[in-house]
Amino acid sequence: MAVSDSTVLAMLAQKCPRCHRGPLFKHSAFNLRRFDEMYEDCVACGQYYEPEVGFYWGAMYISYGFSTGIVFLTGMLLYYLADDPPVWVYITTVAVIVVLMTPLLFRYARVVMLYFFGGIRYDSGLLDRLRE
């Protein structure tokens, strides 16, 4: 299954919600100085990525939800797999995981925000029409 056929795969690959081909971000998530830089519009179809001013402020709540899930999952895993270690182990483990995952949390919070609240829908025939 190609990325362009599935909205879920396009979200995971951080592609344009309209054409599922153009990238949302300019640099790799491993580039810690520029992991947050997004294209203003899609390089494949021209879709503008910021529907309104301050649109991505809502992504903070999504990122908070992701972080809460990490805290819960890490806590459960430590409790059951490490036989309920001291509190400092919980705090240190959660802090390290969240800090290391910050670029991904940031990016996927924006991806979810754009896909679910951006009002942009996938158009399977868009690229064929643009080529004509």
Side-chain angles (χ1 to χ4, degrees):
M1 177 181 283
V3 169
S4 62
D5 295 336
S6 168
T7 299
V8 173
L9 290 177
M11 288 176 70
L12 289 173
Q14 303 169 5
K15 299 293 183 180
C16 172
R18 185 170 162 205
C19 70
H20 291 181
R21 295 188 190 271
L24 292 173
F25 295 93
K26 293 181 180 181
H27 305 283
S28 166
F30 299 111
N31 184 341
L32 297 180
R33 291 181 186 231
R34 297 183 177 202
F35 72 88
D36 61 335
E37 291 181 14
M38 289 183 73
Y39 288 102
E40 286 188 26
D41 47 22
C42 179
V43 296
C45 71
Q47 173 65 48
Y48 190 63
Y49 288 148
E50 191 165 351
E52 61 186 47
V53 176
F55 174 74
Y56 290 109
W57 282 69
M60 290 186 303
Y61 297 102
I62 296 168
S63 180
Y64 177 76
F66 288 163
S67 296
T68 302
I70 289 171
V71 169
F72 179 76
L73 182 62
T74 303
M76 295 300 290
L77 288 173
L78 284 172
Y79 183 81
Y80 288 108
L81 298 178
D83 199 28
D84 194 18
V87 174
W88 71 266
V89 174
Y90 285 101
I91 293 171
T92 304
T93 305
V94 166
V96 167
I97 290 172
V98 169
V99 167
L100 290 176
M101 292 188 68
T102 294
L104 291 177
L105 295 174
F106 175 89
R107 284 173 166 240
Y108 282 111
R110 283 189 167 217
V111 168
V112 168
M113 188 72 186
L114 186 60
Y115 269 79
F116 288 104
F117 303 107
I120 304 166
R121 299 291 170 247
Y122 176 59
D123 186 355
S124 61
L126 176 70
L127 292 178
D128 294 333
R129 290 193 305 272
L130 289 174
R131 287 185 193 127
E132 295 173 355

